Amino acid sequence: MFPPDFAWGAATSAYQIEGGWQADGRGPTIWDTFCHEKGRVFGDQSGDVACSSYELWEKDLACIQQLGLTHYRLSFSWTRLLPDGTTQHINQRGVQYYNKVIDDLLACNVSPMVTLYHFDLPQALQDQGGWVSPGIATHFDNYAKFCFQTFGDRVKLWITINEPQVCAKLGHEDGIHAPGLKEKGTTAYLVGHSMLLAHATAWHSYNSEYRAKQRGAVSLALNSDWFEPLDPGRGEDVAAAERELTFTLGWFAWPVFVTGDYPETMRSAIETRSKELGYGGAPRLPTFSKSDPTVLGTADFFALNYYTSRKVRPEDVSGQTLSMRSDQWAEDVLDPSWPISGVPWLAVFPHGLRKLLNYIKDAFNDPAVYITENGFAQVGPLQVEDRQRCEFYRSTISEVAKAVQEDGVDVRGYFAWSLLDNFEWADGFSVRFGLFHVDFSDAELTRTAYRSGREYASIISKYKSAQS
Ligand code: GAL
């Protein structure tokens, strides 16, 4: 069903699992600050301890082996390596930790895929203005080069930045992620721009300084739902669905994979709205200048995080003030035939992934694709026998197989989110995405496979035996 060397993975991120927030010289991040402010996160919880993977890495490794993964996607904590975000001060204990993780994985025949930035900006850099400060691309590039230099002999798959759209929008427009800003309709576009430039700078560094020797591949992970018109026969709905796809995925994928610039429909929608509201400042969507690094072509593969699908129709925004939402004027409607997982935003529609994969093939020049995240949330009392999630994984993976076999999409790998139940950002520990249950009430933080973990292991094992 899947090509040879298909990557079977699971994913995590540093802040969500590591804990040890002050251990061995780790510096503070914007998520430490955010969680320690009252009222930001469900139950005022934080990633101070989380799954304690900094202490209990061997337990995670045992889970990885139990699943039979070929790949494991983790992220580095920038401040565990560089406590103030700069290469002025390198924390050798952090280097030792990630060296051990990487070496242990390789010793078990598991290839690491490493994300450099998964939402956890060093607080010291936030204090200088964060993602909109002029020096941020250089700081990120220095951090990336340090990682390529230190770990690139063994890490061959790199993600620079995870979900720039989420960082920009949830962190700077909606204020529900760190750093908690609500600067509607302005800052998110600047943050997205900075992230694209930071990514491109790091990709060029890899390309010119490390690629020949290390022979790895570098990309950025883009999140998108699949958006389709509420009424496919209605032109306005079709246009609204396209607008939303453009504002979510096209915002980053278009510059990187197609033209080196933002989609024209996005720019014109934003400009039109600025005029309607008499907004007189500089264009809210920045322009790329000649002195910027080239963004076009700075991805060696397409890394997609997919969770859900939406039906879309135009939204009447006439009474609304400046915001990204009113720039898009598209309204999401959940299809009642799609079952809801544990969280209201995650409607289960595996076929949407196949459609999105086909869209990516057509719109972005048939790239090699890794599905770097996909998963199903559970809430409430523990259900180790999580049959609904088993069904979710079976049908999603079968949609991926169809995209590969019947539609010719070049999918190279699939990473389930997540290896373990973990700190789910603003939802704290109330939402569980793990293939392994973590008992957060027990000092040992015991990991126990869900039925879906065993199911995923059996899918992987069938694949492996068909290959041999
Ligand atoms: C993604 C994010 C992950 C995880 C997941 C589930 O947006 O990259 O860290 O939280 O969503 O909500």
Side-chain angles (χ1 to χ4, degrees):
M1 298 271 276
F2 288 95
D5 299 325
F6 193 80
W8 289 104
T12 58
S13 90
Y15 188 75
Q16 293 178 277
I17 65 164
E18 281 182 5
W21 76 288
Q22 289 180 309
D24 297 339
R26 176 188 178 277
T29 75
I30 56 174
W31 269 95
D32 299 306
T33 309
F34 189 73
C35 293
H36 296 154
E37 289 166 7
K38 288 262 169 281
R40 293 293 203 176
V41 170
F42 173 87
D44 288 331
Q45 294 172 339
S46 77
D48 290 2
V49 178
C51 310
S52 206
S53 294
Y54 183 66
E55 288 293 323
L56 304 176
W57 154 246
E58 274 86 2
K59 290 195 182 199
D60 295 358
L61 183 63
C63 298
I64 291 167
Q65 287 182 285
Q66 204 177 320
L67 294 177
L69 301 182
T70 65
H71 287 65
Y72 177 55
R73 176 174 177 231
L74 69 147
S75 85
F76 286 169
S77 160
W78 187 339
T79 58
R80 204 177 285 293
L81 292 165
L82 311 177
D84 69 2
T86 77
T87 46
Q88 299 285 323
H89 172 205
I90 291 159
N91 181 23
Q92 289 305 336
R93 303 290 293 272
V95 174
Q96 280 161 22
Y97 173 67
Y98 292 119
N99 270 333
K100 175 161 173 49
V101 169
I102 293 165
D103 292 343
D104 286 354
L105 286 169
L106 292 174
C108 299
N109 265 325
V110 178
S111 305
M113 174 187 271
V114 172
T115 305
L116 294 174
Y117 183 76
H118 200 123
F119 302 176
D120 48 354
L121 193 72
Q123 183 59 44
L125 299 185
Q126 184 64 38
D127 296 343
Q128 296 169 28
W131 279 107
V132 295
S133 67
I136 194 72
T138 306
H139 286 308
F140 182 73
D141 184 41
N142 289 338
Y143 163 54
K145 285 191 288 197
F146 169 76
C147 293
F148 299 150
Q149 178 74 40
T150 312
F151 307 103
D153 55 336
R154 290 154 293 153
V155 176
K156 303 300 167 189
L157 288 170
W158 293 100
I159 300 292
T160 54
I161 295 178
N162 181 67
E163 301 189 346
Q165 190 263 354
V166 168
C167 296
K169 183 163 183 297
L170 270 52
H172 302 80
E173 168 95 9
D174 301 338
I176 56 174
H177 274 197
L181 303 178
K182 293 185 183 172
E183 298 173 353
K184 297 276 183 199
T186 52
T187 307
Y189 296 124
L190 305 177
V191 168
H193 195 69
S194 262
M195 287 187 153
L196 270 174
L197 295 178
H199 156 77
T201 309
W203 184 90
H204 285 290
S205 294
Y206 190 83
N207 201 41
S208 56
E209 296 171 41
Y210 300 95
R211 185 188 297 282
K213 198 157 172 228
Q214 299 185 350
R215 299 182 179 281
V218 182
S219 188
L220 75 176
L222 301 181
N223 58 288
S224 188
D225 302 343
W226 170 245
F227 299 102
E228 53 187 52
L230 183 62
D231 175 354
R234 214 167 153 244
E236 287 181 12
D237 291 10
V238 173
E242 278 170 10
R243 257 195 324 279
E244 200 159 356
L245 196 49
T246 301
F247 269 81
T248 310
L249 187 60
W251 180 5
F252 299 96
W254 197 261
V256 171
F257 290 91
V258 190
T259 61
D261 200 353
Y262 296 114
E264 197 38 51
T265 45
M266 182 173 178
R267 191 176 291 288
S268 67
I270 295 170
E271 278 171 13
T272 304
R273 191 70 186 146
S274 287
K275 279 197 199 112
E276 279 168 10
L277 293 173
Y279 179 84
R284 289 183 291 130
L285 188 66
T287 46
F288 293 96
S289 77
K290 290 227 156 52
S291 57
D292 288 334
T294 309
V295 171
L296 179 62
T298 59
D300 303 320
F301 57 92
F302 200 109
L304 173 70
N305 294 355
Y306 169 83
Y307 285 91
T308 190
S309 294
R310 301 271 179 255
K311 297 265 163 101
V312 188
R313 66 180 168 209
E315 180 175 3
D316 176 9
V317 292
S318 42
Q320 292 185 17
T321 52
L322 204 67
S323 70
M324 291 183 78
R325 181 170 178 162
S326 79
D327 291 337
Q328 291 177 54
W329 57 292
E331 186 184 12
D332 292 344
V333 183
L334 281 181
D335 187 314
S337 72
W338 298 341
I340 301 292
S341 76
V343 282
W345 60 266
L346 206 167
V348 177
F349 185 52
H351 189 56
L353 176 55
R354 181 174 175 190
K355 290 187 172 189
L356 186 56
L357 288 169
N358 274 279
Y359 174 84
I360 288 169
K361 174 175 185 271
D362 296 340
F364 304 120
N365 300 320
D366 195 8
V369 182
Y370 284 86
I371 297 157
T372 38
E373 283 181 32
N374 175 250
F376 178 97
Q378 212 190 103
V379 291
L382 168 64
Q383 288 173 22
V384 173
E385 293 299 308
D386 55 345
R387 288 171 195 278
Q388 214 192 340
R389 198 193 265 137
C390 291
E391 176 52 30
F392 166 86
Y393 276 117
R394 271 195 301 270
S395 47
T396 304
I397 290 168
S398 125
E399 291 293 333
V400 177
K402 286 181 207 155
V404 173
Q405 285 191 319
E406 294 173 29
D407 312 334
V409 184
D410 185 6
V411 186
R412 305 279 177 95
Y414 175 87
F415 291 73
W417 183 272
S418 175
L419 178 69
L420 306 168
D421 287 341
N422 59 46
F423 176 76
E424 175 55 15
W425 308 117
D427 288 326
F429 299 98
S430 66
V431 170
R432 294 174 178 267
F433 272 95
L435 291 164
F436 281 78
H437 174 265
V438 177
D439 185 351
F440 294 107
S441 64
D442 149 28
E444 305 284 304
L445 293 160
T446 303
R447 284 92 158 125
T448 311
Y450 285 107
R451 187 187 183 100
S452 59
R454 300 196 303 271
E455 175 80 25
Y456 190 45
S458 114
I459 293 173
I460 297 173
S461 132
K462 278 187 199 134
Y463 166 85
K464 285 183 176 168
S465 37
Q467 293 294 307
S468 59

